[in-house]
Amino acid sequence: DTAVSQTPKYLVTQMGNDKSIKCEQNLGHDTMYWYKQDSKKFLKIMFSYNNKELIINETVPNRFSPKSPDKAHLNLHINSLELGDSAVYFCASSRGGTELSGNTIYFGEGSWLTVV
Amino acid sequence: GQNIDQPTEMTATEGAIVQINCTYQTSGFNGLFWYQQHAGEAPTFLSYNVLDGLEEKGRFSSFLSRSKGYSYLLLKELQMKDSASYLCAAMDSNYQLIWGAGTKLIIKP
């Protein structure tokens, strides 16, 4: 069973559309994340949720809205898509908290978003 | 500011040894992670160092010097499947990961 799964894996859509990427983890982790990996390969955190509560919200356009219905799910909704939103979006999870040994982050397979 | 530096690309020969260096500057420090990312795939965890010294795990070893803000990943007996990007990430005082852009490792026969 995949530990962190996200769908869709590939998404091609037109500018101005609204789309969602779903993420689920079956690791029993408390913390989930959305990362964006751009063409320069930097992984940039967008959001982090701990037990369904938002704890990190980096400087991300408000067109991006995360939703966590429960601690095993963190979905990403994007409104009014722009060309610059084209990237790979990774969902991830970790045990969270301040326990150093528990902070390994496990990534989903990525969602390749192309805005045309 | 917070910063991670690692070489953009390295080339090595199958069967050889390669060392990928990483220097970091963070607000506080709670450990250094190495991840492997094959092209088109998600990063996967390789190692975590929080104390100075060398941690060995099979063909891969990771070293940390906190006083120098420096880490390296050592890969021995290189195999073609080791061709990937290797991401260095440092955890700051808020337990947030600061990621480098990754080192693309090319293995030649």
Side-chain angles (χ1 to χ4, degrees):
Chain A
D1 284 345
T2 304
V4 183
S5 59
Q6 54 184 109
T7 56
K9 187 172 176 68
Y10 299 101
L11 182 57
V12 180
T13 188
Q14 290 188 325
M15 277 196 313
N17 284 350
D18 303 338
K19 292 294 177 186
S20 293
I21 308 172
K22 296 184 177 180
C23 179
E24 175 182 4
Q25 54 95 4
N26 62 7
L27 296 167
H29 287 165
D30 292 327
T31 303
M32 296 186 71
Y33 312 82
W34 276 108
Y35 279 89
K36 178 180 180 181
Q37 189 170 40
D38 59 24
S39 57
K40 295 182 181 178
K41 304 303 181 187
F42 280 103
L43 273 168
K44 295 179 182 175
I45 192 164
M46 301 172 68
F47 303 102
S48 174
Y49 271 71
N50 184 268
N51 281 318
K52 300 184 349 179
E53 290 189 18
L54 181 66
I55 57 173
I56 294 175
N57 184 356
E58 292 296 315
T59 306
V60 175
N62 58 14
R63 299 181 293 104
F64 291 78
S65 54
K67 284 189 171 51
S68 182
D70 55 60
K71 75 173 192 177
H73 295 84
L74 181 62
N75 303 323
L76 183 65
H77 189 75
I78 315 170
N79 289 328
S80 304
L81 279 156
E82 299 178 358
L83 292 176
D85 298 333
S86 295
V88 185
Y89 293 85
F90 286 101
C91 178
S93 73
S94 70
R95 268 170 43 191
T98 58
E99 301 157 14
L100 299 179
S101 62
N103 275 301
T104 300
I105 293 182
Y106 295 87
F107 287 87
E109 294 182 337
S111 294
W112 271 250
L113 173 64
T114 303
V115 183
V116 297
Chain B
Q2 307 199 100
N3 192 49
I4 305 287
D5 281 318
Q6 51 181 132
T8 304
E9 188 173 298
M10 299 181 71
T11 302
T13 306
E14 191 177 12
I17 299 174
V18 71
Q19 177 174 310
I20 304 174
N21 297 323
C22 170
T23 58
Y24 63 89
Q25 291 177 306
T26 54
S27 301
F29 180 74
N30 278 310
L32 193 292
F33 291 79
W34 283 96
Y35 277 76
Q36 180 190 58
Q37 186 176 23
H38 284 100
E41 297 182 9
T44 55
F45 172 78
L46 287 179
S47 68
Y48 171 71
N49 294 66
V50 67
L51 300 175
D52 285 351
L54 187 69
E55 296 270 351
E56 297 188 69
K57 196 186 290 186
R59 295 188 300 113
F60 292 10
S61 303
S62 56
F63 171 84
L64 176 68
S65 169
R66 294 176 66 132
S67 62
K68 295 181 180 178
Y70 167 70
S71 173
Y72 68 72
L73 182 69
L74 190 72
L75 293 77
K76 303 176 185 176
E77 301 169 16
L78 285 169
Q79 301 175 9
M80 297 304 292
K81 67 178 183 179
D82 297 330
S83 292
S85 285
Y86 291 85
L87 304 172
C88 174
M91 182 171 283
D92 68 11
S93 57
N94 293 320
Y95 298 92
Q96 305 310 319
L97 283 179
I98 313 301
W99 294 87
T103 299
K104 183 179 180 181
L105 178 63
I106 300 168
I107 310 295
K108 295 185 175 179

